[in-house]
Amino acid sequence: MTAELSIPTQGPAEDDIVHNPRRWQDYFTFSTDHKVIGIQYFVTGFIFYIIGGLLAEGIRTELATPDPDLVDPATYNSMFTMHGTIMIFLWIVPAGTGAFANYLLPLMIGARDMAFPKLNAVAFWIIPPTGLLLMASFFLGPAQAGWTSYPPLSLLTGKVGEGIWIMSLLLLGTSSILGGINFFTTILKMRIPSMSMMQMPLFCWAMLATSLLMLIATPVLTGALILLSFDLIAGTAFFNPAGGGEPVVYQHMFWFYSHPAVYIMVLPFFGVISEVIPVHCRKPIFGYGAIAYSSMVISFLGLIVWAHHMFTSGTPPWLRMFFMITTMVIAVPTGIKIFGWLATMWGGKINLNTPMLFAMGFISTFVIGGITGVMLAAVPFDIHVHDTYFVVAHLHYVLFGGSVFGIYTGIYHWFPKVTGRHINDTWGKIHFALTYIGFNVTFLPMHILGLQGMPRRVAMYAPEFQGLNQVCTYGSYVLAISTVPFLVNAIWCAYKGDKAGSNPWNALTLEWQTTSPPQIENFEVLPVLTTGPYDYGDTAEVEEPAKVFTTSG
Amino acid sequence: MQGSISDKTQINIETATHDSHHEHPDFRIFGLIVFLVAEGMIFLGLFIAYMAFRAMAPEWPPAGTPKLDLLLPGVNTVVLIASSLVIHQADAAIKKNDVKGLQLWFGITALMGIVFLGGQLYEYSHLEFGLRTNLFASTFYVLTGFHGLHVTVGVLLILSVLWRSLKSEHYGTNNHFGVEAAEIYWHFVDVIWIILFILLYLI
Ligand code: HEM
Ligand SMILES: [Cu+2]
């Protein structure tokens, strides 16, 4: 009904548009513009990333020697607790679901904003004060029970810090649920009329799957935290065996959220990679449907594997068997995606620029993390390495090698769109090289340490582990330094970089069919699809003809 | 928003084609339902936790827990279920542009909600166990309390709709998002209570 009014846009001519430049003040207001909110999420997240990173350097420096010589063990406990909590809840979740999804979803589906812009702003503005609240607990005796906060330990180590921790997570969870409502509604209801579900960019599919997890899993964490806070503050004993409670119930509730949470942290980046690879390889994505549906399958399976974190928590053998099998099955849809990306690259005109390098870095490290994941899923193996550095190695390969590499991939890819300027590619490559090397030097040895039996979450360790620990520590310094070229490059180029134009990569998805940075309300005239999101190169190469987009009236 | 687009006619096209939230209240209902699914997951998590505590305990409720009296909560349940039927009348009324009817039925629903809350407080004050007595007592108070909080929010929602309905023309046949939202929320609270009642009192 509406489509004939609009013209098919192939990137509007620059000067046709009256630019309404954003003022920097806008970023400090309760703005309802999804693009402002996206950037607010990212910058806030990155600040917390730096704080969490400094904590990590503290942890690694402490671990350079077997003795607790830098900080005392209690401080060490709060350092890794805060490190984990910050990285997960204040950096990766806000960056993936907050920054990327907010900025990109409306643009990709040809909408002018999210479905509920005010709710969107509320969801964002919960985060900075909550982050500050959590930081404040540093000065009041921070929580010490790890990001998992298992009772009864969490009930015994400092009421104030733990109370603040619970409060913060309740608030961040609420923010996440509100975000989920917005993404889910936006994707389902706000697409331009000519875009069917099977014509959405794959990032939208990834976010659809993510938003389902945010909506279904996060509330269960809320429930667990409500009960935990009663145990802490009101003296009940839901999870306290001393009063007849069951700590294992907390573990079940926590992991019912936190395993899906790992997919909340990585699915958006599966989406990012699916966008970036076809553009820089000039080839249609291989297996659109398979990649799209595998996101949904991951989301479903992700909800029924949680007890693989609890193989050593007295879980009965038949239940362990169930969770072992479901966990291993998750490798199938994940593998499908990896094959899809590799097949897309195969025979493509690969442009080895920074976004592509980070995307390839993502795939290589994520595969290692996936493999160690399947190893951990095997009960007989897990019983030996549970709570050792092997798990630490696994989770950093998927969360750093996966999520953080995914964030960088996306930043380099969409930088020209967001700022209207190119980011320097040489410095980008230096950033990539330092990150990739630093990352592997830091985390690869942890596999061996874990297999040798070094437990996680302790400030002291047996002297024979020192050599490899020092390697990890030096690697972590490289990793810390690698952030500097990125920050300088990004800030410099945001103001002084070469003008990029609306579509520097010659990409086909809708966010590239408007100005850079996109004008307020995104599009002069709502676009109509004339091509599929990935119809690069020879059209004969298109996998399934059904996916060729048509201009529907 | 703050954008000024050069061509006036294009703005018209835009308002004609753009899905604006004001023209599409159905998004808000959709959003509300999605929100209630999430809210329901909190309850589901708590219900399953309750069942797990129960399954793991050697005896349930633990020995020495005074028996719950069924009369008052039974009456309360009837009141709450009936109020769901009452609030539906309000919805039917406003669809016929009958603001007086809306006010009448919403008023009655709010009263019934308040009666429910009063009944619950009365029950609390007469129970022979406290929050910390044992695991059953703790789950009992936290579950019913959390639900009671939702009833309170529901009553406040209803009262705020009532307040707004005093302004003439605020609600009408084609404009009754607030009415519908309050109704849906109220049904939700009602369904949760039925499950809770069965879990805590009957089985
Ligand atoms: C093929 C996919 C995967 C499998 C089979 C898998 C399996 C596992 C298993 C069995 C554990 C428990 C180890 C233990 O504590 O003994 C574990 C831990 C963990 N995994 Fe994965 N995983 C996979 C992917 C991921 C992804 C994609 C992420 C995040 C993006 C992730 C993040 C984590 C984290 C954070 C932990 C440690 C939690 C903790 O105890 O602090 N995993 N994984
Ligand atoms: Cu898991």
Side-chain angles (χ1 to χ4, degrees):
Chain A
M1 36 132 205
T2 59
E4 61 265 32
L5 290 173
S6 30
I7 48 154
T9 41
Q10 274 300 330
E14 287 297 281
D15 0 53
D16 286 0
I17 284 133
V18 180
H19 276 286
N20 246 41
R22 284 249 160 251
R23 294 165 312 140
W24 62 269
Q25 292 96 324
D26 292 351
Y27 294 96
F28 293 89
T29 61
F30 189 81
S31 169
T32 55
D33 182 332
H34 71 100
K35 299 186 289 300
V36 173
I37 295 176
I39 290 171
Q40 287 173 326
Y41 264 112
F42 186 78
V43 173
T44 313
F46 207 90
I47 292 170
F48 286 117
Y49 179 44
I50 293 173
I51 298 173
L54 290 174
L55 282 167
E57 296 308 322
I59 293 171
R60 277 315 324 162
T61 307
E62 164 55 48
L63 292 176
T65 62
D67 303 317
D69 34 21
L70 181 71
V71 292
D72 62 286
T75 312
Y76 180 84
N77 291 347
S78 18
M79 278 166 72
F80 72 70
T81 301
M82 292 297 259
H83 162 75
T85 309
I86 291 171
M87 288 304 198
I88 289 173
F89 296 105
L90 290 167
W91 161 232
I92 296 187
V93 174
T97 64
F100 281 96
N102 266 312
Y103 200 97
L104 294 172
L105 278 180
L107 284 163
M108 283 181 166
I109 61 175
R112 298 203 183 276
D113 209 317
M114 300 287 281
F116 309 110
K118 279 212 193 83
L119 195 69
N120 204 12
V122 172
F124 166 73
W125 279 106
I126 290 176
I127 291 181
T130 307
L132 291 179
L133 178 71
L134 191 67
M135 297 302 117
S137 76
F138 264 122
F139 306 101
L140 304 164
Q144 288 187 42
W147 79 279
T148 49
S149 211
Y150 276 12
L153 180 64
S154 53
L155 303 172
L156 302 173
T157 46
K159 252 195 172 141
V160 179
E162 184 63 26
I164 293 180
W165 185 91
I166 294 176
M167 189 68 209
S168 309
L169 256 72
L170 281 171
L171 288 166
L172 294 171
T174 308
S175 158
S176 191
I177 293 172
L178 299 182
I181 295 172
N182 235 327
F183 303 137
F184 188 70
T185 313
T186 306
I187 297 168
L188 290 186
K189 301 270 181 193
M190 302 277 286
R191 279 169 286 125
I192 42 168
S194 53
M195 184 186 280
S196 71
M197 293 287 280
M198 294 310 282
Q199 292 167 324
M200 293 194 304
L202 286 164
F203 179 78
C204 304
W205 275 104
M207 273 316 298
L208 184 64
T210 310
S211 65
L212 278 170
L213 290 178
M214 294 162 90
L215 291 166
I216 293 171
T218 320
V220 177
L221 177 71
T222 306
L225 293 176
I226 291 173
L227 297 183
L228 189 64
S229 65
F230 270 91
D231 278 5
L232 186 77
I233 296 161
T236 53
F238 293 110
F239 303 134
N240 194 345
E246 290 289 351
V248 171
V249 174
Y250 174 85
Q251 295 185 20
H252 278 290
M253 294 177 89
F254 180 83
W255 288 114
F256 182 82
Y257 163 72
S258 286
H259 181 81
V262 308
Y263 286 102
I264 294 175
M265 290 187 277
V266 88
L267 274 168
F269 305 109
F270 287 173
V272 166
I273 301 297
S274 305
E275 296 304 320
V276 169
I277 287 188
V279 174
H280 298 287
C281 297
R282 313 311 301 165
K283 260 187 71 187
I285 191 95
F286 181 90
Y288 174 96
I291 294 182
Y293 288 134
S294 64
S295 292
M296 305 305 285
V297 173
I298 287 177
S299 172
F300 168 72
L301 287 175
L303 288 166
I304 52 165
V305 300
W306 74 89
H308 62 220
H309 296 274
M310 303 167 54
F311 286 150
T312 59
S313 306
T315 311
W318 60 270
L319 206 59
R320 295 205 292 209
M321 219 36 87
F322 171 80
F323 283 106
M324 170 165 137
I325 292 166
T326 52
T327 303
M328 289 185 169
V329 169
I330 259 200
V332 175
T334 314
I336 287 177
K337 283 181 189 293
I338 309 245
F339 281 117
W341 298 326
L342 294 180
T344 307
M345 288 164 62
W346 190 269
K349 296 195 203 76
I350 301 180
N351 181 358
L352 282 180
N353 52 18
T354 315
M356 192 62 204
L357 284 174
F358 267 107
M360 288 158 71
F362 173 100
I363 297 177
S364 63
T365 44
F366 190 81
V367 163
I368 297 179
I371 291 171
T372 53
V374 177
M375 291 167 75
L376 288 167
V379 178
F381 179 77
D382 183 71
I383 287 172
H384 290 282
V385 295
H386 174 68
D387 263 346
T388 69
Y389 264 80
F390 193 85
V391 176
V392 179
H394 159 71
L395 76 91
H396 285 91
Y397 266 80
V398 282
L399 280 175
F400 197 118
S403 309
V404 177
F405 276 53
I407 291 172
Y408 283 134
T409 308
I411 288 302
Y412 282 100
H413 181 72
W414 281 291
F415 191 91
K417 176 50 57 186
V418 175
T419 63
R421 292 171 190 277
H422 283 293
I423 187 162
N424 183 295
D425 200 50
T426 311
W427 280 102
K429 283 175 179 160
I430 293 170
H431 172 218
F432 170 74
L434 286 173
T435 311
Y436 197 75
I437 294 167
F439 167 78
N440 280 295
V441 174
T442 310
F443 296 108
L444 199 66
M446 291 185 188
H447 291 108
I448 305 167
L449 286 169
L451 291 174
Q452 290 174 347
M454 177 174 162
R456 65 192 283 210
R457 292 181 172 168
V458 243
M460 289 163 276
Y461 54 84
E464 67 258 32
F465 298 136
Q466 187 171 8
L468 282 175
N469 266 293
Q470 282 182 337
V471 176
C472 297
T473 300
Y474 289 127
S476 79
Y477 295 153
V478 177
L479 209 44
I481 291 166
S482 76
T483 315
V484 177
F486 166 72
L487 268 181
V488 175
N489 193 5
I491 294 172
W492 177 266
C493 292
Y495 294 99
K496 300 271 181 248
D498 302 335
K499 290 259 188 210
S502 42
N503 194 355
W505 308 124
N506 273 320
L508 293 174
T509 40
L510 290 181
E511 79 272 24
W512 299 102
Q513 317 310 324
T514 183
T515 43
S516 303
Q519 64 202 80
I520 287 166
E521 304 251 295
N522 297 348
F523 300 96
E524 180 102 349
V525 181
L526 288 183
V528 170
L529 295 180
T530 51
T531 149
Y534 307 112
D535 292 345
Y536 297 106
D538 185 354
T539 38
E541 279 174 42
V542 176
E543 278 295 309
E544 288 139 276
K547 305 227 165 55
V548 178
F549 289 15
T550 49
T551 337
S552 69
Chain B
M1 306 208 75
Q2 332 168 10
S4 78
I5 291 171
S6 50
D7 192 343
K8 260 256 146 65
T9 54
Q10 254 163 20
I11 295 179
N12 292 335
I13 292 171
E14 188 187 311
T15 36
T17 59
H18 175 42
D19 295 335
S20 146
H21 340 288
H22 306 292
E23 297 153 38
H24 289 265
D26 47 322
F27 283 1
R28 289 184 292 174
I29 293 291
F30 183 85
L32 176 71
I33 291 171
V34 176
F35 170 76
L36 289 179
V37 169
E39 199 69 10
M41 283 303 299
I42 304 185
F43 280 105
L44 191 65
L46 293 172
F47 293 160
I48 293 178
Y50 173 84
M51 290 193 277
F53 288 138
R54 184 184 176 133
M56 290 181 191
E59 191 184 343
W60 196 263
T65 314
K67 265 207 119 22
L68 284 169
D69 187 23
L70 269 182
L71 180 64
L72 179 61
V75 173
N76 247 351
T77 308
V78 174
V79 170
L80 205 60
I81 294 178
S83 74
S84 248
L85 303 175
V86 172
I87 201 170
H88 190 68
Q89 300 306 310
D91 190 56
I94 198 63
K95 281 186 179 139
K96 289 192 227 111
N97 217 2
D98 173 8
V99 178
K100 282 270 165 306
L102 162 73
Q103 288 164 342
L104 173 70
W105 297 118
F106 258 48
I108 298 178
T109 315
L111 269 181
M112 293 170 96
I114 292 166
V115 167
F116 176 89
L117 286 172
Q120 206 171 33
L121 286 180
Y122 183 87
E123 190 192 8
Y124 279 1
S125 62
H126 286 73
L127 281 177
E128 283 156 43
F129 52 78
L131 175 65
R132 274 176 291 189
T133 306
N134 58 35
L135 198 51
F136 170 76
S138 304
T139 37
F140 176 85
Y141 278 108
V142 170
L143 280 174
T144 53
F146 193 53
H147 175 263
L149 192 71
H150 281 74
V151 179
T152 313
V153 171
V155 170
L156 292 177
L157 272 178
I158 291 171
L159 291 178
S160 77
V161 169
L162 264 181
W163 173 253
R164 288 187 191 188
S165 73
L166 297 178
K167 221 165 54 183
S168 65
E169 310 279 296
H170 193 89
Y171 296 111
T173 313
N174 298 317
N175 179 19
H176 51 269
F177 165 72
V179 178
E180 228 177 319
E183 188 199 346
I184 293 173
Y185 185 86
W186 196 252
H187 291 322
F188 168 78
V189 169
D190 197 6
V191 170
I192 295 290
W193 175 257
I194 295 171
I195 304 172
L196 249 187
F197 185 70
I198 295 171
L199 266 185
L200 291 178
Y201 292 89
L202 299 186
I203 56 175

